[in-house]
C-alpha cells in the first residue's frame, strides 16, 4: 500500500494535467463567430456604397441592420406581427439586437458574411482601403502557428539527442510539449523553450550527491525558469494555471522515474553511483553551449514571427476594437432572449387587459379561442400554447424558415446555450506585451549565450 501511494499520486497529477490541457486548450483565433466573418467599416460610410460593393463582389445573404425584420414567420397583417412593431408592445429584445450591428464605441458598423465569401470579402476590404479614406477590416480565420511549433519540436529533438539522460528528458518534456501544442502562442512557445533548456541543463546533476543544493545556487537557471513562467503571463490566468500544472507534472515524472529506478536496482547486488559529486560537475559544457545557441535561435524566430503577426494584422485590431463576439463576457442578447421575446410576441395579443401587468411574462401556458372559416359557418376552437421543449423546437424551426438573412440564423449556427458579448478584434492577435516578453527572453538568452562563451572553462556560477 505504501508503494502504491508512491506512484498513484504522481500518476494522477500527470493524468490531471493532460486532461486539463485537452479540455482547456486555447486556439489562436481572430474569429468572432463560427461560420461567419465580420466586416466592419466606419459608421459614416454610405449604406448604398457598401451594398453596391457587396453586389459587385458577388457577396450574397449578408446580415446587416438594414435587412433585419421582425423575426416571426407569421404574416405582417397579423396582430402578433403588428404589435411587435408598435409602441404598445415595446420590445427590449428588438432594441438590444441593434447593438450587434455596431462596435461598442458606435464608431463602426458591422456586417456578418458567411465564411464561403471570405476571399471576396477580403478583396472588397482591400479595394475600399485602396480607393477611399474609410477605415475597415475583416476578422481573420483560425490559424495554428505550425512553423513555430515545428521549431520548438526540433529544439526538443535536438536536446533529446544531446541529453545525458535521454529517456528521462524525453518523458519529462512530453507534457510541456503538449502544453505548447494546446496553447500555441508565441509567448508560450518561448517559455516552454526556456523550460526545456532548464531541464536539459539541470539533468546533468541527476543522481549526483548534493545535486539539488547545487541547482539552488545556479543563478542562471533561476533566471531561465522564472522567465519561463513570466512568459505565460502574456496570455492570461488560464495559461499561468496550466503552466503550473505542467511544472507539477514534470516534477511527478522525475519522482516516478527515481522511484522505479531505485526499485529496478533492488534486484541487483551492485548499484552504480556517480563518482563525482554535483559540486565538481561543470554545467558549462559544449552540449550546454549548443543548447543555449539553439534556444536563442528558436526564440529569435519566435520574435520575428510575432513581429510579422503584429504588423500584418489590421491596424484596427491593434487598437483593440471591441466587436460583438461569441467569446466576450455575457452582455448581449442571445437565443434564450429570442425564445422569451417570441413567446411574448405570440401570446400578448391574446392576454386579457384585466390580467396582472406581468402576465405576458408567464412562461407556463396561455389559452385562447381562435376562429376559422368553414363552408357552413365560422368555427371556434381553443388553442393552448405552452412554453416547453416543443415551443423551443418550434422557435428554432421558425428561425430556419425566416425568408431573410436574420441575425438569429447566425445565433443558431453557434449552437445552443451560448452567451455573447464584446471581444477585442485583436484578442487572439499578438499584442505589444507579447512582443516585449519574447524580446526580453531573447535578450536574456543571448546574454546567457555570451556569458557561456566567455566562461567555457570557468566555474558555472554565471
Amino acid at each position: 500500500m505504501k508503494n502504491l501511494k508512491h506512484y498513484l499520486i504522481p500518476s494522477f497529477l500527470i493524468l490531471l494535467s493532460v486532461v486539463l490541457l485537452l479540455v482547456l486548450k486555447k486556439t489562436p483565433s481572430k474569429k468572432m463567430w463560427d461560420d461567419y466573418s465580420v466586416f466592419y467599416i466606419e459608421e459614416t460610410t454610405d449604406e448604398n456604397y457598401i451594398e453596391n460593393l457587396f453586389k459587385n463582389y458577388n457577396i450574397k445573404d449578408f446580415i446587416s441592420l438594414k435587412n433585419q425584420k421582425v423575426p416571426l414567420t407569421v404574416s405582417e397583417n397579423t396582430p402578433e406581427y403588428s404589435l411587435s412593431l408598435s409602441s404598445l408592445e415595446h420590445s427590449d429584445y428588438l432594441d438590444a439586437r441593434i447593438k450587434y450591428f455596431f462596435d461598442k464605441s458606435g464608431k463602426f458598423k458591422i456586417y456578418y458574411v458567411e465564411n464561403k465569401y471570405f476571399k471576396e470579402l477580403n478583396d472588397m476590404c482591400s479595394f475600399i482601403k485602396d480607393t477611399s479614406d474609410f477605415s475597415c477590416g475583416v476578422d481573420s480565420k483560425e490559424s495554428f502557428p505550425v512553423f513555430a511549433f515545428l521549431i520548438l519540436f526540433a529544439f526538443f529533438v535536438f536536446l533529446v539527442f544531446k541529453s545525458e539522460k535521454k529517456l528521462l528528458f524525453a518523458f519529462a518534456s512530453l507534457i510541456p510539449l503538449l502544453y505548447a501544442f494546446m496553447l500555441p502562442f508565441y509567448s508560450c512557445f518561448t517559455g516552454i523553450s526556456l523550460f526545456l533548456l532548464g531541464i536539459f541543463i539541470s539533468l546533468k546533476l541527476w543522481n549526483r550527491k548534493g545535486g539539488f543544493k547545487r541547482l539552488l545556487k545556479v543563478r542562471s537557471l533561476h533566471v531561465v525558469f522564472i522567465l519561463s513562467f513570466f512568459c505565460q503571463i502574456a496570455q492570461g490566468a488560464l495559461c499561468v494555471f496550466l503552466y503550473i500544472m505542467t511544472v507539477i507534472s514534470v516534477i511527478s515524472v522525475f519522482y516516478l522515474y527515481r522511484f522505479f529506478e531505485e526499485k529496478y536496482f533492488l534486484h541487483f547486488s551492485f548499484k552504480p553511483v556517480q563518482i563525482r559529486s554535483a559540486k565538481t560537475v561543470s554545467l558549462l559544457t559544449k552540449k550546454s553551449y549548443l543548447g543555449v545557441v539553439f534556444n536563442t535561435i528558436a526564440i529569435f524566430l519566435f520574435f520575428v514571427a510575432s513581429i510579422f503577426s503584429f504588423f500584418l494584422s489590421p491596424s484596427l485590431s491593434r487598437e483593440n476594437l471591441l466587436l460583438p463576439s461569441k467569446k466576450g463576457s455575457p452582455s448581449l442578447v442571445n437565443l434564450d432572449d429570442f425564445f422569451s421575446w417570441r413567446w411574448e410576441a405570440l401570446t400578448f395579443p391574446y392576454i386579457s387587459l384585466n390580467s396582472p401587468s406581468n402576465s405576458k411574462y408567464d412562461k407556463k401556458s396561455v389559452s385562447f379561442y381562435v376562429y376559422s372559416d368553414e363552408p357552413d359557418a365560422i368555427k371556434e376552437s381553443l388553442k393552448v400554447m405552452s412554453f416547453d421543449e416543443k415551443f423551443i423546437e418550434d422557435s428554432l424551426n421558425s428561425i430556419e424558415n425566416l425568408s431573410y438573412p436574420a441575425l438569429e440564423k447566425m445565433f443558431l449556427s453557434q449552437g445552443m446555450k451560448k452567451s455573447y458579448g464584446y471581444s477585442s478584434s485583436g484578442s487572439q492577435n499578438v499584442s505589444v506585451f507579447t512582443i516585449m516578453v519574447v524580446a526580453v527572453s531573447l535578450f536574456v538568452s543571448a546574454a546567457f549565450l555570451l556569458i557561456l562563451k566567455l566562461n567555457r572553462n570557468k566555474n558555472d556560477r554565471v
Side-chain angles (χ1 to χ4, degrees):
M1 187 65 183
K2 186 178 179 181
N3 287 339
L4 197 63
K5 288 194 296 184
H6 278 294
Y7 62 82
L8 272 184
I9 295 176
S11 298
F12 171 76
L13 291 172
I14 294 170
L15 181 61
L16 178 62
S17 299
V18 172
V19 171
L20 288 173
L21 286 170
L22 293 174
V23 172
L24 301 178
K25 65 179 181 178
K26 290 175 67 177
T27 304
S29 172
K30 304 165 192 175
K31 289 297 291 180
M32 299 289 116
W33 301 92
D34 294 332
D35 303 326
Y36 285 84
S37 296
V38 176
F39 170 69
Y40 47 93
I41 191 167
E42 289 180 38
E43 195 276 330
T44 54
T45 313
D46 182 66
E47 191 73 25
N48 292 328
Y49 168 73
I50 300 171
E51 289 185 356
N52 286 332
L53 282 175
F54 278 132
K55 184 177 179 181
N56 292 339
Y57 282 87
N58 200 31
I59 298 173
K60 303 173 182 177
D61 297 330
F62 56 89
I63 299 173
S64 69
L65 178 59
K66 186 178 178 180
N67 61 22
Q68 295 307 291
K69 301 177 182 179
V70 176
L72 292 175
T73 52
V74 298
S75 170
E76 295 182 7
N77 298 321
T78 58
E80 292 93 332
Y81 195 99
S82 300
L83 283 173
S84 295
L85 291 175
S86 73
S87 58
L88 293 175
E89 174 58 359
H90 180 73
S91 171
D92 292 335
Y93 172 76
L94 293 182
D95 288 347
R97 192 176 60 160
I98 296 174
K99 293 182 180 180
Y100 277 94
F101 299 99
F102 297 93
D103 75 302
K104 193 170 186 179
S105 69
K107 295 178 180 178
F108 294 86
K109 51 186 173 184
I110 295 171
Y111 300 79
Y112 302 97
V113 181
E114 291 183 31
N115 280 341
K116 62 183 178 181
Y117 297 114
F118 184 75
K119 182 181 181 302
E120 291 84 352
L121 193 60
N122 274 281
D123 292 341
M124 188 185 86
C125 188
S126 298
F127 174 80
I128 294 172
K129 291 177 179 178
D130 293 340
T131 59
S132 72
D133 295 327
F134 296 126
S135 295
C136 63
V138 181
D139 66 333
S140 303
K141 288 185 175 180
E142 292 188 359
S143 56
F144 182 93
V146 178
F147 179 69
F149 183 78
L150 289 177
I151 292 171
L152 182 64
F153 187 78
F155 182 49
F156 159 74
V157 172
F158 171 82
L159 294 181
V160 169
F161 280 104
K162 292 295 182 180
S163 177
E164 295 177 8
K165 293 285 183 179
K166 292 180 173 56
L167 187 62
L168 176 56
F169 178 81
F171 278 126
S173 301
L174 288 178
I175 306 297
L177 277 178
L178 179 63
Y179 171 90
F181 186 80
M182 294 300 170
L183 302 164
F185 302 94
Y186 294 118
S187 59
C188 293
F189 287 148
T190 301
I192 293 302
S193 177
L194 289 166
F195 187 64
L196 294 182
L197 177 66
I199 294 175
F200 173 76
I201 295 175
S202 300
L203 285 180
K204 294 182 181 296
L205 303 180
W206 181 260
N207 266 350
R208 292 188 184 275
K209 185 179 178 181
F212 185 72
K213 289 183 179 179
R214 174 74 187 286
L215 284 177
L216 294 177
K217 296 178 181 179
V218 184
R219 295 190 298 269
S220 56
L221 282 178
H222 300 170
V223 173
V224 168
F225 286 120
I226 291 172
L227 189 56
S228 173
F229 173 79
F230 182 71
C231 286
Q232 315 312 314
I233 298 176
Q235 294 303 330
L238 177 63
C239 288
V240 171
F241 167 70
L242 291 176
Y243 178 81
I244 293 172
M245 291 303 302
T246 298
V247 173
I248 291 173
S249 69
V250 171
I251 295 172
S252 298
V253 170
F254 287 153
Y255 181 87
L256 284 175
Y257 190 91
R258 182 66 177 268
F259 175 74
F260 286 112
E261 189 179 52
E262 290 180 352
K263 292 281 288 183
Y264 174 77
F265 282 114
L266 286 177
H267 297 87
F268 299 89
S269 57
F270 171 76
K271 177 184 177 181
V273 178
Q274 300 282 5
I275 297 176
R276 299 173 62 190
S277 67
K279 277 186 180 180
T280 61
V281 176
S282 174
L283 298 181
L284 302 182
T285 63
K286 184 179 180 180
K287 290 181 179 179
S288 300
Y289 178 75
L290 291 174
V292 177
V293 169
F294 203 134
N295 178 70
T296 306
I297 294 172
I299 296 178
F300 173 75
L301 292 174
F302 297 151
F303 176 72
V304 171
S306 64
I307 290 289
F308 268 97
S309 180
F310 178 79
F311 283 105
L312 289 178
S313 63
S315 58
L316 292 172
S317 292
R318 298 198 296 273
E319 294 174 10
N320 285 332
L321 185 70
L322 295 176
L323 303 175
S325 169
K326 64 176 183 177
K327 298 179 289 187
S329 300
S331 59
L332 296 170
V333 292
N334 56 20
L335 276 178
D336 287 337
D337 298 302
F338 168 74
F339 297 148
S340 299
W341 169 82
R342 185 171 181 267
W343 171 260
E344 296 163 16
L346 295 179
T347 60
F348 181 67
Y350 307 102
I351 294 176
S352 172
L353 294 177
N354 297 320
S355 298
S357 60
N358 64 344
S359 60
K360 68 174 181 175
Y361 299 105
D362 180 9
K363 293 182 179 178
K364 294 181 180 179
S365 180
V366 172
S367 60
F368 51 90
Y369 287 99
V370 295
Y371 302 87
S372 58
D373 288 327
E374 297 293 334
D376 298 329
I378 296 176
K379 184 179 180 181
E380 179 186 72
S381 59
L382 181 67
K383 182 175 181 179
V384 179
M385 292 184 63
S386 300
F387 195 96
D388 51 19
E389 290 297 324
K390 184 178 179 181
F391 178 81
I392 299 298
E393 184 179 351
D394 182 66
S395 298
L396 295 175
N397 291 332
S398 74
I399 293 175
E400 295 177 349
N401 293 327
L402 291 172
S403 59
Y404 67 95
L407 180 68
E408 289 74 20
K409 290 185 178 181
M410 186 175 75
F411 291 167
L412 192 58
S413 70
Q414 310 306 306
M416 295 291 289
K417 301 299 181 184
K418 293 282 186 179
S419 59
Y420 312 124
Y422 291 101
S423 177
S424 168
S425 57
S427 61
Q428 298 288 354
N429 286 342
V430 174
S431 65
V432 174
F433 183 58
T434 297
I435 294 175
M436 290 175 60
V437 167
V438 178
V440 170
S441 301
L442 177 61
F443 174 79
V444 171
S445 186
F448 193 18
L449 178 62
L450 179 62
I451 293 171
L452 276 176
K453 190 171 184 178
L454 295 175
N455 296 276
R456 286 279 298 275
N457 298 317
K458 295 180 181 180
N459 191 272
D460 62 297
R461 288 181 58 84
V462 293

